[in-house]
Amino acid sequence: MSRAATIIVGIIVLIPVLYIGSCSVIAHQLEHGFDQVKIGDTEPQVIAVLGEPADRETPSHRIASYGSPECQAPCAQRLWYPNRMGLMGEAWAIELDGEGKVVHTAHLTSP
C-alpha cells in the first residue's frame, strides 16, 4: 500500500474514533456537572458548574425539540444542556423557580 493510501485509510479510521471520543467526553463532563447540581442551588451556582445553557425555556417560550413536557409551576425557567455531538439525542435539564432556585433536574435520552 502506498504512503498516500495509508494516510487516507488512517484518516478514515481516525474520524469516527475522534467523534465517538469527543461525544463521550462531552457526556461525561455534563454528567459530572449535573451530579453536582442540587435542589435549592441558585442559577449562578448552576452556571458556575455547567456553564451557560444552550437553550432557556419558559412557560411562554417552549422548546419542543427536546420532547419534554411544558415548563409548569413551580418551573419558571428550564436550562438545557444538550450533548450536541451525541447521536441519540441526550440532554440535561435544570428547572428553576421564580426565585432562580433549582426545583427539578432531568437527564433525557431518546432511544
Side-chain angles (χ1 to χ4, degrees), residues 13-50:
V13 169
L14 189 59
I15 289 172
V17 169
L18 290 174
Y19 178 82
I20 292 168
S22 63
C23 180
S24 296
V25 167
I26 290 168
H28 176 74
Q29 289 173 336
L30 285 169
E31 188 67 35
H32 178 72
F34 182 76
D35 289 343
Q36 294 179 44
V37 174
K38 305 295 179 221
I39 302 300
D41 284 356
T42 63
E43 181 178 352
Q45 288 173 307
V46 172
I47 291 173
V49 172
L50 289 167

PDB file of all heavy atoms in Angstrom, residues 13-50:
ATOM      1  N   VAL A  13     -10.237   5.978   9.439  1.00  0.00           N
ATOM      2  CA  VAL A  13     -10.413   5.263  10.709  1.00  0.00           C
ATOM      3  C   VAL A  13     -10.424   6.245  11.873  1.00  0.00           C
ATOM      4  O   VAL A  13     -11.191   6.090  12.822  1.00  0.00           O
ATOM      5  CB  VAL A  13      -9.295   4.208  10.888  1.00  0.00           C
ATOM      6  CG1 VAL A  13      -9.288   3.639  12.293  1.00  0.00           C
ATOM      7  CG2 VAL A  13      -9.443   3.101   9.851  1.00  0.00           C
ATOM      8  N   LEU A  14      -9.605   7.275  11.799  1.00  0.00           N
ATOM      9  CA  LEU A  14      -9.455   8.220  12.899  1.00  0.00           C
ATOM     10  C   LEU A  14     -10.686   9.103  13.115  1.00  0.00           C
ATOM     11  O   LEU A  14     -11.045   9.406  14.257  1.00  0.00           O
ATOM     12  CB  LEU A  14      -8.227   9.103  12.651  1.00  0.00           C
ATOM     13  CG  LEU A  14      -7.787  10.016  13.777  1.00  0.00           C
ATOM     14  CD1 LEU A  14      -7.459   9.203  15.022  1.00  0.00           C
ATOM     15  CD2 LEU A  14      -6.584  10.834  13.344  1.00  0.00           C
ATOM     16  N   ILE A  15     -11.362   9.487  12.061  1.00  0.00           N
ATOM     17  CA  ILE A  15     -12.515  10.393  12.189  1.00  0.00           C
ATOM     18  C   ILE A  15     -13.607   9.815  13.092  1.00  0.00           C
ATOM     19  O   ILE A  15     -14.043  10.482  14.029  1.00  0.00           O
ATOM     20  CB  ILE A  15     -13.051  10.807  10.800  1.00  0.00           C
ATOM     21  CG1 ILE A  15     -12.049  11.762  10.147  1.00  0.00           C
ATOM     22  CG2 ILE A  15     -14.431  11.455  10.905  1.00  0.00           C
ATOM     23  CD1 ILE A  15     -12.359  12.105   8.714  1.00  0.00           C
ATOM     24  N   PRO A  16     -14.085   8.574  12.874  1.00  0.00           N
ATOM     25  CA  PRO A  16     -15.112   8.053  13.789  1.00  0.00           C
ATOM     26  C   PRO A  16     -14.605   7.878  15.223  1.00  0.00           C
ATOM     27  O   PRO A  16     -15.355   8.101  16.180  1.00  0.00           O
ATOM     28  CB  PRO A  16     -15.501   6.704  13.198  1.00  0.00           C
ATOM     29  CG  PRO A  16     -14.864   6.610  11.866  1.00  0.00           C
ATOM     30  CD  PRO A  16     -13.836   7.676  11.765  1.00  0.00           C
ATOM     31  N   VAL A  17     -13.341   7.530  15.363  1.00  0.00           N
ATOM     32  CA  VAL A  17     -12.781   7.374  16.708  1.00  0.00           C
ATOM     33  C   VAL A  17     -12.789   8.714  17.440  1.00  0.00           C
ATOM     34  O   VAL A  17     -13.184   8.797  18.606  1.00  0.00           O
ATOM     35  CB  VAL A  17     -11.351   6.774  16.635  1.00  0.00           C
ATOM     36  CG1 VAL A  17     -10.655   6.850  17.986  1.00  0.00           C
ATOM     37  CG2 VAL A  17     -11.398   5.344  16.128  1.00  0.00           C
ATOM     38  N   LEU A  18     -12.382   9.772  16.768  1.00  0.00           N
ATOM     39  CA  LEU A  18     -12.397  11.107  17.372  1.00  0.00           C
ATOM     40  C   LEU A  18     -13.815  11.568  17.683  1.00  0.00           C
ATOM     41  O   LEU A  18     -14.066  12.176  18.727  1.00  0.00           O
ATOM     42  CB  LEU A  18     -11.699  12.114  16.457  1.00  0.00           C
ATOM     43  CG  LEU A  18     -10.184  11.969  16.331  1.00  0.00           C
ATOM     44  CD1 LEU A  18      -9.644  12.936  15.288  1.00  0.00           C
ATOM     45  CD2 LEU A  18      -9.508  12.166  17.666  1.00  0.00           C
ATOM     46  N   TYR A  19     -14.747  11.272  16.791  1.00  0.00           N
ATOM     47  CA  TYR A  19     -16.143  11.662  17.002  1.00  0.00           C
ATOM     48  C   TYR A  19     -16.707  10.972  18.246  1.00  0.00           C
ATOM     49  O   TYR A  19     -17.283  11.614  19.124  1.00  0.00           O
ATOM     50  CB  TYR A  19     -16.986  11.325  15.772  1.00  0.00           C
ATOM     51  CG  TYR A  19     -18.448  11.671  15.950  1.00  0.00           C
ATOM     52  CD1 TYR A  19     -18.887  12.966  15.756  1.00  0.00           C
ATOM     53  CD2 TYR A  19     -19.360  10.703  16.355  1.00  0.00           C
ATOM     54  CE1 TYR A  19     -20.218  13.291  15.936  1.00  0.00           C
ATOM     55  CE2 TYR A  19     -20.687  11.024  16.541  1.00  0.00           C
ATOM     56  CZ  TYR A  19     -21.115  12.315  16.327  1.00  0.00           C
ATOM     57  OH  TYR A  19     -22.420  12.638  16.526  1.00  0.00           O
ATOM     58  N   ILE A  20     -16.541   9.673  18.313  1.00  0.00           N
ATOM     59  CA  ILE A  20     -17.062   8.911  19.462  1.00  0.00           C
ATOM     60  C   ILE A  20     -16.372   9.354  20.741  1.00  0.00           C
ATOM     61  O   ILE A  20     -17.019   9.516  21.779  1.00  0.00           O
ATOM     62  CB  ILE A  20     -16.894   7.393  19.216  1.00  0.00           C
ATOM     63  CG1 ILE A  20     -17.829   6.958  18.084  1.00  0.00           C
ATOM     64  CG2 ILE A  20     -17.163   6.595  20.490  1.00  0.00           C
ATOM     65  CD1 ILE A  20     -17.555   5.568  17.550  1.00  0.00           C
ATOM     66  N   GLY A  21     -15.084   9.582  20.671  1.00  0.00           N
ATOM     67  CA  GLY A  21     -14.353  10.040  21.851  1.00  0.00           C
ATOM     68  C   GLY A  21     -14.834  11.389  22.336  1.00  0.00           C
ATOM     69  O   GLY A  21     -15.042  11.593  23.531  1.00  0.00           O
ATOM     70  N   SER A  22     -15.034  12.329  21.416  1.00  0.00           N
ATOM     71  CA  SER A  22     -15.490  13.658  21.827  1.00  0.00           C
ATOM     72  C   SER A  22     -16.912  13.606  22.383  1.00  0.00           C
ATOM     73  O   SER A  22     -17.229  14.285  23.351  1.00  0.00           O
ATOM     74  CB  SER A  22     -15.394  14.657  20.681  1.00  0.00           C
ATOM     75  OG  SER A  22     -16.237  14.295  19.625  1.00  0.00           O
ATOM     76  N   CYS A  23     -17.753  12.779  21.800  1.00  0.00           N
ATOM     77  CA  CYS A  23     -19.118  12.614  22.303  1.00  0.00           C
ATOM     78  C   CYS A  23     -19.091  12.083  23.735  1.00  0.00           C
ATOM     79  O   CYS A  23     -19.815  12.571  24.600  1.00  0.00           O
ATOM     80  CB  CYS A  23     -19.892  11.662  21.390  1.00  0.00           C
ATOM     81  SG  CYS A  23     -21.583  11.392  21.913  1.00  0.00           S
ATOM     82  N   SER A  24     -18.245  11.120  23.988  1.00  0.00           N
ATOM     83  CA  SER A  24     -18.136  10.532  25.326  1.00  0.00           C
ATOM     84  C   SER A  24     -17.588  11.532  26.333  1.00  0.00           C
ATOM     85  O   SER A  24     -18.055  11.602  27.470  1.00  0.00           O
ATOM     86  CB  SER A  24     -17.236   9.297  25.284  1.00  0.00           C
ATOM     87  OG  SER A  24     -17.813   8.300  24.484  1.00  0.00           O
ATOM     88  N   VAL A  25     -16.608  12.311  25.920  1.00  0.00           N
ATOM     89  CA  VAL A  25     -16.021  13.315  26.823  1.00  0.00           C
ATOM     90  C   VAL A  25     -17.065  14.368  27.190  1.00  0.00           C
ATOM     91  O   VAL A  25     -17.214  14.723  28.362  1.00  0.00           O
ATOM     92  CB  VAL A  25     -14.773  13.972  26.184  1.00  0.00           C
ATOM     93  CG1 VAL A  25     -14.346  15.215  26.946  1.00  0.00           C
ATOM     94  CG2 VAL A  25     -13.631  12.974  26.112  1.00  0.00           C
ATOM     95  N   ILE A  26     -17.799  14.849  26.206  1.00  0.00           N
ATOM     96  CA  ILE A  26     -18.838  15.853  26.465  1.00  0.00           C
ATOM     97  C   ILE A  26     -19.892  15.291  27.421  1.00  0.00           C
ATOM     98  O   ILE A  26     -20.285  15.938  28.391  1.00  0.00           O
ATOM     99  CB  ILE A  26     -19.477  16.332  25.150  1.00  0.00           C
ATOM    100  CG1 ILE A  26     -18.467  17.160  24.362  1.00  0.00           C
ATOM    101  CG2 ILE A  26     -20.749  17.147  25.416  1.00  0.00           C
ATOM    102  CD1 ILE A  26     -18.875  17.444  22.933  1.00  0.00           C
ATOM    103  N   ALA A  27     -20.355  14.072  27.158  1.00  0.00           N
ATOM    104  CA  ALA A  27     -21.370  13.449  28.023  1.00  0.00           C
ATOM    105  C   ALA A  27     -20.842  13.289  29.440  1.00  0.00           C
ATOM    106  O   ALA A  27     -21.555  13.566  30.416  1.00  0.00           O
ATOM    107  CB  ALA A  27     -21.804  12.103  27.456  1.00  0.00           C
ATOM    108  N   HIS A  28     -19.601  12.864  29.579  1.00  0.00           N
ATOM    109  CA  HIS A  28     -19.013  12.679  30.910  1.00  0.00           C
ATOM    110  C   HIS A  28     -18.928  14.011  31.653  1.00  0.00           C
ATOM    111  O   HIS A  28     -19.263  14.097  32.838  1.00  0.00           O
ATOM    112  CB  HIS A  28     -17.627  12.039  30.791  1.00  0.00           C
ATOM    113  CG  HIS A  28     -16.927  11.917  32.104  1.00  0.00           C
ATOM    114  ND1 HIS A  28     -17.278  10.975  33.049  1.00  0.00           N
ATOM    115  CD2 HIS A  28     -15.918  12.643  32.642  1.00  0.00           C
ATOM    116  CE1 HIS A  28     -16.508  11.127  34.115  1.00  0.00           C
ATOM    117  NE2 HIS A  28     -15.676  12.127  33.884  1.00  0.00           N
ATOM    118  N   GLN A  29     -18.482  15.075  30.968  1.00  0.00           N
ATOM    119  CA  GLN A  29     -18.365  16.382  31.605  1.00  0.00           C
ATOM    120  C   GLN A  29     -19.734  16.908  32.047  1.00  0.00           C
ATOM    121  O   GLN A  29     -19.877  17.422  33.153  1.00  0.00           O
ATOM    122  CB  GLN A  29     -17.699  17.383  30.664  1.00  0.00           C
ATOM    123  CG  GLN A  29     -16.235  17.113  30.451  1.00  0.00           C
ATOM    124  CD  GLN A  29     -15.620  18.011  29.386  1.00  0.00           C
ATOM    125  OE1 GLN A  29     -16.305  18.526  28.510  1.00  0.00           O
ATOM    126  NE2 GLN A  29     -14.316  18.190  29.453  1.00  0.00           N
ATOM    127  N   LEU A  30     -20.731  16.773  31.175  1.00  0.00           N
ATOM    128  CA  LEU A  30     -22.073  17.243  31.535  1.00  0.00           C
ATOM    129  C   LEU A  30     -22.650  16.416  32.683  1.00  0.00           C
ATOM    130  O   LEU A  30     -23.253  16.965  33.606  1.00  0.00           O
ATOM    131  CB  LEU A  30     -22.998  17.204  30.321  1.00  0.00           C
ATOM    132  CG  LEU A  30     -22.762  18.306  29.290  1.00  0.00           C
ATOM    133  CD1 LEU A  30     -23.533  18.027  28.010  1.00  0.00           C
ATOM    134  CD2 LEU A  30     -23.163  19.666  29.864  1.00  0.00           C
ATOM    135  N   GLU A  31     -22.463  15.111  32.641  1.00  0.00           N
ATOM    136  CA  GLU A  31     -22.981  14.242  33.708  1.00  0.00           C
ATOM    137  C   GLU A  31     -22.315  14.576  35.038  1.00  0.00           C
ATOM    138  O   GLU A  31     -22.978  14.641  36.076  1.00  0.00           O
ATOM    139  CB  GLU A  31     -22.758  12.774  33.352  1.00  0.00           C
ATOM    140  CG  GLU A  31     -23.424  11.803  34.285  1.00  0.00           C
ATOM    141  CD  GLU A  31     -24.945  11.843  34.208  1.00  0.00           C
ATOM    142  OE1 GLU A  31     -25.493  12.066  33.121  1.00  0.00           O
ATOM    143  OE2 GLU A  31     -25.589  11.659  35.258  1.00  0.00           O
ATOM    144  N   HIS A  32     -21.017  14.818  35.013  1.00  0.00           N
ATOM    145  CA  HIS A  32     -20.287  15.172  36.236  1.00  0.00           C
ATOM    146  C   HIS A  32     -20.825  16.484  36.811  1.00  0.00           C
ATOM    147  O   HIS A  32     -21.076  16.587  38.017  1.00  0.00           O
ATOM    148  CB  HIS A  32     -18.792  15.274  35.935  1.00  0.00           C
ATOM    149  CG  HIS A  32     -17.978  15.683  37.120  1.00  0.00           C
ATOM    150  ND1 HIS A  32     -17.743  14.842  38.193  1.00  0.00           N
ATOM    151  CD2 HIS A  32     -17.355  16.852  37.414  1.00  0.00           C
ATOM    152  CE1 HIS A  32     -17.012  15.481  39.087  1.00  0.00           C
ATOM    153  NE2 HIS A  32     -16.766  16.702  38.635  1.00  0.00           N
ATOM    154  N   GLY A  33     -21.002  17.492  35.970  1.00  0.00           N
ATOM    155  CA  GLY A  33     -21.547  18.761  36.431  1.00  0.00           C
ATOM    156  C   GLY A  33     -22.973  18.626  36.918  1.00  0.00           C
ATOM    157  O   GLY A  33     -23.352  19.177  37.956  1.00  0.00           O
ATOM    158  N   PHE A  34     -23.780  17.869  36.175  1.00  0.00           N
ATOM    159  CA  PHE A  34     -25.177  17.654  36.525  1.00  0.00           C
ATOM    160  C   PHE A  34     -25.288  17.008  37.913  1.00  0.00           C
ATOM    161  O   PHE A  34     -26.155  17.378  38.704  1.00  0.00           O
ATOM    162  CB  PHE A  34     -25.817  16.762  35.461  1.00  0.00           C
ATOM    163  CG  PHE A  34     -27.272  16.489  35.660  1.00  0.00           C
ATOM    164  CD1 PHE A  34     -28.231  17.439  35.361  1.00  0.00           C
ATOM    165  CD2 PHE A  34     -27.698  15.253  36.129  1.00  0.00           C
ATOM    166  CE1 PHE A  34     -29.576  17.180  35.522  1.00  0.00           C
ATOM    167  CE2 PHE A  34     -29.041  14.980  36.297  1.00  0.00           C
ATOM    168  CZ  PHE A  34     -29.981  15.945  35.999  1.00  0.00           C
ATOM    169  N   ASP A  35     -24.406  16.062  38.207  1.00  0.00           N
ATOM    170  CA  ASP A  35     -24.425  15.393  39.512  1.00  0.00           C
ATOM    171  C   ASP A  35     -24.121  16.348  40.662  1.00  0.00           C
ATOM    172  O   ASP A  35     -24.475  16.074  41.805  1.00  0.00           O
ATOM    173  CB  ASP A  35     -23.424  14.235  39.530  1.00  0.00           C
ATOM    174  CG  ASP A  35     -23.872  13.053  38.678  1.00  0.00           C
ATOM    175  OD1 ASP A  35     -25.074  12.975  38.331  1.00  0.00           O
ATOM    176  OD2 ASP A  35     -23.008  12.208  38.347  1.00  0.00           O
ATOM    177  N   GLN A  36     -23.472  17.462  40.367  1.00  0.00           N
ATOM    178  CA  GLN A  36     -23.140  18.439  41.410  1.00  0.00           C
ATOM    179  C   GLN A  36     -24.281  19.407  41.699  1.00  0.00           C
ATOM    180  O   GLN A  36     -24.292  20.057  42.739  1.00  0.00           O
ATOM    181  CB  GLN A  36     -21.900  19.233  40.998  1.00  0.00           C
ATOM    182  CG  GLN A  36     -20.648  18.390  40.929  1.00  0.00           C
ATOM    183  CD  GLN A  36     -19.457  19.209  40.488  1.00  0.00           C
ATOM    184  OE1 GLN A  36     -19.254  20.326  40.953  1.00  0.00           O
ATOM    185  NE2 GLN A  36     -18.675  18.667  39.578  1.00  0.00           N
ATOM    186  N   VAL A  37     -25.240  19.507  40.790  1.00  0.00           N
ATOM    187  CA  VAL A  37     -26.364  20.433  40.962  1.00  0.00           C
ATOM    188  C   VAL A  37     -27.376  19.820  41.923  1.00  0.00           C
ATOM    189  O   VAL A  37     -27.790  18.673  41.757  1.00  0.00           O
ATOM    190  CB  VAL A  37     -27.027  20.747  39.600  1.00  0.00           C
ATOM    191  CG1 VAL A  37     -28.288  21.583  39.796  1.00  0.00           C
ATOM    192  CG2 VAL A  37     -26.046  21.454  38.683  1.00  0.00           C
ATOM    193  N   LYS A  38     -27.759  20.591  42.922  1.00  0.00           N
ATOM    194  CA  LYS A  38     -28.697  20.122  43.945  1.00  0.00           C
ATOM    195  C   LYS A  38     -29.936  21.020  43.985  1.00  0.00           C
ATOM    196  O   LYS A  38     -29.873  22.204  43.651  1.00  0.00           O
ATOM    197  CB  LYS A  38     -28.035  20.124  45.330  1.00  0.00           C
ATOM    198  CG  LYS A  38     -26.747  19.316  45.389  1.00  0.00           C
ATOM    199  CD  LYS A  38     -27.002  17.848  45.155  1.00  0.00           C
ATOM    200  CE  LYS A  38     -25.707  17.055  45.192  1.00  0.00           C
ATOM    201  NZ  LYS A  38     -25.603  16.044  44.185  1.00  0.00           N
ATOM    202  N   ILE A  39     -31.047  20.443  44.410  1.00  0.00           N
ATOM    203  CA  ILE A  39     -32.280  21.212  44.607  1.00  0.00           C
ATOM    204  C   ILE A  39     -31.973  22.354  45.579  1.00  0.00           C
ATOM    205  O   ILE A  39     -31.343  22.151  46.608  1.00  0.00           O
ATOM    206  CB  ILE A  39     -33.415  20.315  45.166  1.00  0.00           C
ATOM    207  CG1 ILE A  39     -33.691  19.135  44.239  1.00  0.00           C
ATOM    208  CG2 ILE A  39     -34.680  21.138  45.442  1.00  0.00           C
ATOM    209  CD1 ILE A  39     -34.129  19.495  42.841  1.00  0.00           C
ATOM    210  N   GLY A  40     -32.401  23.567  45.216  1.00  0.00           N
ATOM    211  CA  GLY A  40     -32.154  24.745  46.041  1.00  0.00           C
ATOM    212  C   GLY A  40     -30.959  25.569  45.582  1.00  0.00           C
ATOM    213  O   GLY A  40     -30.806  26.707  45.996  1.00  0.00           O
ATOM    214  N   ASP A  41     -30.102  24.984  44.713  1.00  0.00           N
ATOM    215  CA  ASP A  41     -28.988  25.762  44.164  1.00  0.00           C
ATOM    216  C   ASP A  41     -29.548  26.936  43.368  1.00  0.00           C
ATOM    217  O   ASP A  41     -30.652  26.872  42.831  1.00  0.00           O
ATOM    218  CB  ASP A  41     -28.111  24.913  43.239  1.00  0.00           C
ATOM    219  CG  ASP A  41     -27.190  23.955  43.981  1.00  0.00           C
ATOM    220  OD1 ASP A  41     -27.159  23.991  45.218  1.00  0.00           O
ATOM    221  OD2 ASP A  41     -26.515  23.147  43.296  1.00  0.00           O
ATOM    222  N   THR A  42     -28.765  27.997  43.261  1.00  0.00           N
ATOM    223  CA  THR A  42     -29.186  29.166  42.503  1.00  0.00           C
ATOM    224  C   THR A  42     -28.698  29.067  41.052  1.00  0.00           C
ATOM    225  O   THR A  42     -27.789  28.283  40.748  1.00  0.00           O
ATOM    226  CB  THR A  42     -28.618  30.453  43.119  1.00  0.00           C
ATOM    227  OG1 THR A  42     -27.194  30.400  43.037  1.00  0.00           O
ATOM    228  CG2 THR A  42     -29.068  30.622  44.564  1.00  0.00           C
ATOM    229  N   GLU A  43     -29.302  29.870  40.182  1.00  0.00           N
ATOM    230  CA  GLU A  43     -28.890  29.880  38.778  1.00  0.00           C
ATOM    231  C   GLU A  43     -27.393  30.165  38.622  1.00  0.00           C
ATOM    232  O   GLU A  43     -26.717  29.462  37.864  1.00  0.00           O
ATOM    233  CB  GLU A  43     -29.711  30.888  37.979  1.00  0.00           C
ATOM    234  CG  GLU A  43     -29.339  30.921  36.515  1.00  0.00           C
ATOM    235  CD  GLU A  43     -30.189  31.887  35.708  1.00  0.00           C
ATOM    236  OE1 GLU A  43     -31.173  32.447  36.232  1.00  0.00           O
ATOM    237  OE2 GLU A  43     -29.849  32.088  34.529  1.00  0.00           O
ATOM    238  N   PRO A  44     -26.824  31.159  39.337  1.00  0.00           N
ATOM    239  CA  PRO A  44     -25.379  31.376  39.211  1.00  0.00           C
ATOM    240  C   PRO A  44     -24.551  30.153  39.632  1.00  0.00           C
ATOM    241  O   PRO A  44     -23.506  29.878  39.041  1.00  0.00           O
ATOM    242  CB  PRO A  44     -25.097  32.572  40.124  1.00  0.00           C
ATOM    243  CG  PRO A  44     -26.402  33.308  40.189  1.00  0.00           C
ATOM    244  CD  PRO A  44     -27.452  32.232  40.130  1.00  0.00           C
ATOM    245  N   GLN A  45     -25.020  29.399  40.616  1.00  0.00           N
ATOM    246  CA  GLN A  45     -24.311  28.189  41.021  1.00  0.00           C
ATOM    247  C   GLN A  45     -24.357  27.139  39.906  1.00  0.00           C
ATOM    248  O   GLN A  45     -23.355  26.476  39.635  1.00  0.00           O
ATOM    249  CB  GLN A  45     -24.918  27.599  42.309  1.00  0.00           C
ATOM    250  CG  GLN A  45     -24.624  28.414  43.544  1.00  0.00           C
ATOM    251  CD  GLN A  45     -25.371  27.897  44.759  1.00  0.00           C
ATOM    252  OE1 GLN A  45     -26.592  27.741  44.727  1.00  0.00           O
ATOM    253  NE2 GLN A  45     -24.644  27.632  45.834  1.00  0.00           N
ATOM    254  N   VAL A  46     -25.513  27.000  39.268  1.00  0.00           N
ATOM    255  CA  VAL A  46     -25.652  26.047  38.167  1.00  0.00           C
ATOM    256  C   VAL A  46     -24.719  26.439  37.024  1.00  0.00           C
ATOM    257  O   VAL A  46     -23.987  25.604  36.486  1.00  0.00           O
ATOM    258  CB  VAL A  46     -27.115  25.981  37.665  1.00  0.00           C
ATOM    259  CG1 VAL A  46     -27.219  25.146  36.399  1.00  0.00           C
ATOM    260  CG2 VAL A  46     -28.025  25.425  38.749  1.00  0.00           C
ATOM    261  N   ILE A  47     -24.708  27.716  36.669  1.00  0.00           N
ATOM    262  CA  ILE A  47     -23.877  28.187  35.563  1.00  0.00           C
ATOM    263  C   ILE A  47     -22.391  28.051  35.906  1.00  0.00           C
ATOM    264  O   ILE A  47     -21.574  27.750  35.034  1.00  0.00           O
ATOM    265  CB  ILE A  47     -24.272  29.615  35.162  1.00  0.00           C
ATOM    266  CG1 ILE A  47     -25.670  29.569  34.520  1.00  0.00           C
ATOM    267  CG2 ILE A  47     -23.253  30.235  34.214  1.00  0.00           C
ATOM    268  CD1 ILE A  47     -26.283  30.902  34.224  1.00  0.00           C
ATOM    269  N   ALA A  48     -22.037  28.215  37.168  1.00  0.00           N
ATOM    270  CA  ALA A  48     -20.641  28.037  37.571  1.00  0.00           C
ATOM    271  C   ALA A  48     -20.188  26.593  37.355  1.00  0.00           C
ATOM    272  O   ALA A  48     -19.028  26.351  37.029  1.00  0.00           O
ATOM    273  CB  ALA A  48     -20.464  28.436  39.040  1.00  0.00           C
ATOM    274  N   VAL A  49     -21.100  25.657  37.506  1.00  0.00           N
ATOM    275  CA  VAL A  49     -20.764  24.236  37.357  1.00  0.00           C
ATOM    276  C   VAL A  49     -20.891  23.771  35.909  1.00  0.00           C
ATOM    277  O   VAL A  49     -20.011  23.083  35.391  1.00  0.00           O
ATOM    278  CB  VAL A  49     -21.673  23.375  38.274  1.00  0.00           C
ATOM    279  CG1 VAL A  49     -21.491  21.901  37.995  1.00  0.00           C
ATOM    280  CG2 VAL A  49     -21.398  23.673  39.729  1.00  0.00           C
ATOM    281  N   LEU A  50     -21.981  24.142  35.254  1.00  0.00           N
ATOM    282  CA  LEU A  50     -22.276  23.623  33.913  1.00  0.00           C
ATOM    283  C   LEU A  50     -21.991  24.607  32.779  1.00  0.00           C
ATOM    284  O   LEU A  50     -22.018  24.229  31.617  1.00  0.00           O
ATOM    285  CB  LEU A  50     -23.745  23.188  33.831  1.00  0.00           C
ATOM    286  CG  LEU A  50     -24.099  21.933  34.613  1.00  0.00           C
ATOM    287  CD1 LEU A  50     -25.609  21.773  34.714  1.00  0.00           C
ATOM    288  CD2 LEU A  50     -23.479  20.717  33.961  1.00  0.00           C
TER     289      LEU A  50
END
